[in-house]
Amino acid sequence: MTDLSADAVVRSLFAALNIRDYARAAGAIAEHCRWESVAAETVHQGPGAIVAGLREFVAAFPDWRADVVSVTSQGRFVAVEWDSSGTFQNDFRGKPANRKRFRRRGCSVAEVEGGKIVGYRDYYDRVTLLKQLDLLDLL
């Protein structure tokens, strides 16, 4: 991936996740990458842990997808506005599936070096997400 621009690396990650190509997604992430979900207050380190977290979410929401709305980049920093949706079809964090759908919009900031994502911060409204899914008790 070293020949891709920073924004192309990030777009490639979204494309890989939407088709569940986890090997390609992991290949876009540096070994020392710190991936933070600011809203959920979670941090994953490295491609293995990051992809495992993404797989856990997709297992509960198998129709999940994240569409890129806009991308702005400056040097190695990429800001992505995204729109995602899914249906709660399998257990998630000890909660039984209820077939509720969600739609959330958010923004992520990625830092890319040498064709790989070395830092990633996800920003979205977690309360709105959990309210749509009747999971406010997870707060």
Side-chain angles (χ1 to χ4, degrees):
M1 289 197 155
T2 57
D3 295 340
L4 296 178
S5 65
D7 64 332
V9 170
V10 174
R11 285 179 187 275
S12 175
L13 173 71
F14 275 79
L17 292 174
N18 281 333
I19 63 169
R20 311 298 187 251
D21 185 343
Y22 295 110
R24 188 169 119 201
I29 302 166
E31 286 298 321
H32 62 281
C33 179
R34 183 177 190 275
W35 187 291
E36 179 181 5
S37 174
V38 176
E41 298 179 327
T42 60
V43 175
H44 293 88
Q45 192 83 31
I50 293 164
V51 168
L54 293 165
R55 281 178 179 266
E56 175 192 16
F57 194 80
V58 170
F61 305 90
D63 62 341
W64 170 84
R65 65 174 293 106
D67 296 308
V68 173
V69 175
S70 65
V71 176
T72 302
S73 62
Q74 179 68 39
R76 68 179 194 255
F77 293 97
V78 180
V80 180
E81 181 184 10
W82 47 260
D83 191 346
S84 71
S85 61
T87 307
F88 189 12
Q89 298 180 46
N90 297 302
D91 292 356
F92 181 66
R93 300 201 174 146
K95 302 294 180 183
N98 60 19
R99 311 276 312 153
K100 299 268 185 181
R101 286 198 45 79
F102 77 87
R103 178 174 177 233
R104 67 177 169 169
R105 294 176 62 201
C107 183
S108 300
V109 177
E111 184 177 0
V112 179
E113 291 178 354
K116 298 217 181 225
I117 298 168
V118 298
Y120 192 93
R121 292 176 305 284
D122 227 357
Y123 301 91
Y124 61 91
D125 180 355
R126 185 168 183 233
V127 172
T128 298
L129 169 69
L130 295 176
K131 185 176 180 181
Q132 292 176 67
L133 297 169
D134 287 334
L135 294 175
L136 284 173
D137 58 319
L138 288 178
L139 288 176

